[in-house]
Amino acid sequence: MTQLVLINPKSPTNVGGVMRAAGCYGAQRVWYTGERYGYARKFATDTKQRVDEIPLEALASLADIKTAQTRIVAVELVDGATPLPFYEHPENAIYVFDPEDGSLKQDVLSICDDVVYIPTTGCMNLAATVNVVLYDRTAKSQHTDYSREFILKNRDTNNRVKVK
């Protein structure tokens, strides 16, 4: 199971991008903390309406969803974190992402089981970071479907191109 936690997300546009990524990569739930998204929720740009399929819920504290069966993984460009290319994703994970205009606080990092970072020059935006982490999880999974049938089922309806 894959869940995402967005710590006080700044932009409803990025939350919409996160919801699209969650749908593309099979995340089952998205949580958010703080009040900023709640105020701007009606402006979210979830172009695939993933919020109809994937719960997007407010969360008071990360500790409220911590269980023994799930590893909490912070994604943060901090000293001591594991580079994402070397990280082995757990079967049941909750990935925690910082707001674009801040970093995860020490109290949040202390609750997490692991901390990973994406080796970039500078920081990426929230939706881009979620896409990279979920792609990495999918690419490393033993359950990923690489078949032609998968491509035909999931490509855009306007895409009828094929490699010759």
Side-chain angles (χ1 to χ4, degrees), residues 12-68:
T13 302
N14 267 323
V15 175
V18 167
M19 293 305 293
R20 185 167 185 169
C24 287
Y25 294 107
Q28 285 81 24
R29 171 165 284 165
V30 179
W31 305 90
Y32 66 90
T33 69
E35 297 180 358
R36 294 192 296 186
Y37 178 69
Y39 293 135
R41 186 178 194 143
K42 65 183 176 182
F43 302 109
T45 55
D46 177 7
T47 59
K48 294 288 187 177
Q49 294 304 305
R50 298 294 192 179
V51 75
D52 295 339
E53 308 162 16
I54 303 167
L56 173 61
E57 301 176 43
L59 178 67
S61 169
L62 188 56
D64 293 343
I65 59 172
K66 186 172 177 78
T67 69

Side-chain angles (χ1 to χ4, degrees), residues 63-115:
D64 293 343
I65 59 172
K66 186 172 177 78
T67 69
Q69 298 79 28
T70 304
R71 291 191 68 80
I72 299 181
V73 183
V75 181
E76 183 68 271
L77 189 60
V78 295
D79 189 27
T82 301
L84 185 61
F86 302 121
Y87 185 68
E88 186 176 325
H89 296 270
E91 187 69 30
N92 295 312
I94 298 173
Y95 296 95
V96 181
F97 299 89
D98 63 18
E100 287 185 274
D101 57 350
S103 295
L104 295 176
K105 306 290 186 228
Q106 188 61 54
D107 62 328
V108 172
L109 291 175
S110 296
I111 293 173
C112 296
D113 299 298
D114 302 314
V115 181

